Amino acid sequence: MIDVRRWMPGVQMVTTYKTSWLPRDLVAGIVLTTLLVPQGMAYAELAGLPAITGLYTSILCLLAYAVFGPSRILVLGPDSSLGPMIATVLIGALGAGADPAEAIALAGMLGLIVGVLLVLAGVAKLGFLADLLSHPTQVGYLNGLALTILVSQLPKLFGFSVDGDGLIEETRGFVEGVADGKTVPAATVIGLLGLAVIVSLRRWAPRVPGVLIAVVLSIFAVVAFGLEERGVDTVGALPQGLPSFALPSFDFSDLGILVGGAFGIALVSLTDTISTASAFAARTGQEVRGNQEMIGIGAANIAASFFQGFPVSTSGSRTAVAQQSGSRTQVTGVVGAVAISLLLVFAPGLLRDLPQPTLAAVVIAAALSLADIPAIALLWRRRRVEFSLAIAAFLGVAVLGVLPGIAVAVGLSVLNVFRKVWWPYQAVLGRAQGVNGYHDITVYPSAERLPGLLIFRFDAPLIFANARVFRDRVREFARTEPGLRWIIMAAEPITDVDTTAADMLEELDRELNEQGISLVFAEMKSPVHEKIDRYQLTRTIDPAHFFPTLEDAVAAFRRETGAEWTT
């Protein structure tokens, strides 16, 4: 029998809900709505879609996540980090200036593919895929994304538009537009003032809804001073009523770019969600259920895709607002969805005079929150290799584009892991005075060693990628160490030996034996030792040359040779 509560955590939440939580959830939901509406509209336009689709998406994803999402605090919705990725897919498939209806249908199909991918990954328990973006590459990617978003919104902030795709072309278009006098003074003033209000209140009064205040003040300014007549573009009246059901559609020639974009969006959405869920779970004492989170986000994307929506992710800022407002459960998101629905049914003209430069200010403020320059500086001070990875990911996004940038970021993360396995840290060990055990002689240069003995530590699993590196280092010892008789492998860090490495060890042991040198292992893990037996390496490596500890191996060598410790 299917465990409904396991796959639909919202059902369990309803059965355990306490009426004392309702007032807090209601207040948090209303406060959250003041953020959901302007951000939803702004991020929809960032994705190259009509503003109304951001509200449709918010309604459906909040309701779906309330049923399938495991977290009681996370808030989903249109996201600034996904907007440029969605826009890249739409432009790649339809070209610039595509018909809005075609763009909406294609965005819905993109959301459906993203949702299916996430649900399948959750069912298959592939939550570890979030680890494909390491912290340095994620920092670089987000900084590159922040710069890309900022530049893309500057023309709208200044009251004009540019024809260009990518950071370089859009930067050139903006500079040329300003030089040619395309700037609309009234739009520039209201956009910059809105941005100043949002950023200032976020910095000095984070509990005050800066986005809402900027939106209200800008609408008042448009009405009071007749700014539309001065060239300020506004949102206009929104369609009245709730979104209608519509099957996503696409041309099969666009399948490649849709699937490629969906993989990138799914990975970024998953990474954002797992990191945000972990951060807020630590504050609230909840447990992160990564696989169910994927199912919850997937269900939210699927639900939105059938109602003129587009891909969504978790929002750290909106989640923080909900928590600060006293949210206790997913009911907060349901209240937000209901409030947006009431706005569309009864007051669709309420936001008619919202200026486009203010929406640009909302997006730019979000982009600034994505940027993390101190993290880049910290990487520079801590580890230059990871700083280089962050810069490479940054340049990947800024120069190649958002989707190629995420591919670069993932590729760099994987290559960094592979590099650490390929060229792991290696050490020759000795006995240091006043310190128990055996230690790296580069750290303890005065450590004692036994003549004819070398203790070697290789800090990685022995696999095809590093078998040659290991072999060449041991051969170097055999060639350069005078009177060498034993090479003891401090094998505790070796967590695996694959067949390629096993063949290398068999060949290497025969080669060493011809030189009168024995290859000895100490502290090898049981699972690895079982593989050694299965590979039948003890045909060449003496079974007596496997010791449980380094001390036992060293003692055996001293008994055999009578060697004494020397500096």
Side-chain angles (χ1 to χ4, degrees), residues 268-562:
V268 171
S269 179
L270 174 60
T271 303
D272 282 348
T273 299
I274 296 299
S275 59
T276 304
S278 300
F280 283 93
R283 300 181 192 177
T284 60
Q286 298 181 32
E287 179 184 354
V288 177
R289 296 167 55 190
N291 295 315
Q292 186 61 39
E293 285 291 359
M294 283 193 285
I295 294 174
I297 310 168
N301 277 282
I302 292 172
S305 71
F306 287 107
F307 291 88
Q308 303 173 52
F310 51 86
V312 298
S313 180
T314 301
S315 168
S317 61
R318 284 174 291 220
T319 301
V321 168
Q323 185 188 46
Q324 292 170 2
S325 303
S327 173
R328 300 300 299 270
T329 67
Q330 298 98 316
V331 170
T332 296
V334 175
V335 172
V338 171
I340 297 173
S341 300
L342 293 176
L343 171 69
L344 293 177
V345 172
F346 297 107
L350 188 64
L351 300 174
R352 187 188 71 82
D353 295 313
L354 175 60
Q356 291 285 356
T358 301
L359 289 182
V362 172
V363 174
I364 290 174
L368 294 177
S369 68
L370 290 176
D372 194 349
I373 305 302
I376 294 284
L378 187 62
L379 288 173
W380 170 262
R381 294 194 298 270
R382 285 183 172 179
R383 192 166 185 180
R384 301 295 170 84
V385 171
E386 296 196 343
F387 169 81
S388 300
L389 290 174
I391 295 300
F394 170 82
L395 294 175
V397 176
V399 177
L400 300 178
V402 179
L403 286 178
I406 188 67
V408 168
V410 171
L412 289 173
S413 295
V414 173
L415 285 176
N416 190 36
V417 173
F418 193 68
R419 178 187 64 84
K420 293 176 181 178
V421 175
W422 198 347
W423 296 301
Y425 187 78
Q426 305 166 44
V428 175
L429 308 183
R431 189 178 71 170
Q433 292 294 331
V435 184
N436 293 329
Y438 301 92
H439 302 277
D440 189 346
I441 63 174
T442 60
V443 180
Y444 296 91
S446 60
E448 298 177 327
R449 294 176 57 187
L450 289 170
L453 174 68
L454 185 136
I455 306 174
F456 178 48
R457 194 184 71 214
F458 192 79
D459 293 348
L462 264 178
I463 60 173
F464 68 95
N466 58 30
R468 183 184 58 80
V469 174
F470 177 90
R471 181 198 62 196
D472 291 348
R473 187 67 190 276
V474 173
R475 282 177 173 174
E476 181 184 352
F477 293 143
R479 186 175 62 253
T480 59
E481 290 284 332
L484 188 61
R485 296 180 61 180
W486 275 25
I487 297 177
I488 297 179
M489 287 299 310
E492 185 179 18
I494 299 178
T495 56
D496 189 20
V497 175
D498 70 4
T499 55
T500 302
D503 293 340
M504 177 274 297
L505 286 174
E506 185 172 9
E507 177 186 344
L508 181 62
D509 186 63
R510 288 198 179 100
E511 183 180 317
L512 292 173
N513 290 340
E514 292 175 358
Q515 303 175 55
I517 302 172
S518 297
L519 189 60
V520 179
F521 293 88
E523 300 182 348
M524 179 173 283
K525 300 178 184 297
S526 296
V528 180
H529 202 162
E530 291 172 2
K531 291 181 179 179
I532 294 292
D533 292 336
R534 191 160 61 247
Y535 298 149
Q536 298 182 342
L537 285 180
T538 49
R539 292 177 305 180
T540 56
I541 302 176
D542 189 344
H545 283 170
F546 290 86
F547 295 91
T549 68
L550 280 172
E551 288 78 7
D552 292 334
V554 170
F557 177 79
R558 295 186 66 188
R559 286 193 302 269
E560 181 177 309
T561 63

Side-chain angles (χ1 to χ4, degrees), residues 104-259:
I104 292 172
L106 197 66
M109 193 66 212
L110 182 63
L112 179 60
I113 297 174
V114 169
V116 171
L117 288 175
L118 287 170
V119 169
L120 291 177
V123 173
K125 299 182 179 180
L126 300 178
F128 65 87
L129 291 174
D131 299 331
L132 287 177
L133 277 177
S134 66
H135 176 67
T137 52
Q138 191 172 358
V139 168
Y141 167 77
L142 289 177
N143 277 286
L145 189 62
L147 179 61
T148 301
I149 294 173
L150 174 64
V151 171
S152 71
Q153 294 299 302
L154 283 176
K156 185 189 291 187
L157 189 74
F158 282 71
F160 64 94
S161 61
V162 299
D163 293 326
D165 183 20
L167 179 67
I168 296 175
E169 290 185 13
E170 290 178 340
T171 301
R172 183 187 299 115
F174 172 70
V175 173
E176 291 176 352
V178 173
D180 293 342
K182 294 182 180 180
T183 300
V184 178
T188 304
V189 170
I190 201 167
L192 291 176
L193 286 177
L195 180 61
V197 168
I198 296 170
V199 173
S200 299
L201 289 178
R202 178 189 294 166
R203 175 67 178 85
W204 304 109
R207 292 183 177 273
V208 178
V211 172
L212 175 63
I213 292 175
V215 166
V216 172
L217 290 178
S218 63
I219 292 175
F220 175 79
V222 168
V223 175
F225 301 106
L227 296 184
E228 280 191 271
E229 299 175 0
R230 301 187 181 186
V232 177
D233 290 333
T234 60
V235 171
L238 299 176
Q240 186 173 24
L242 299 177
S244 57
F245 178 85
L247 287 173
S249 60
F250 71 103
D251 191 307
F252 275 99
S253 61
D254 301 327
L255 184 60
I257 190 171
L258 280 172
V259 173

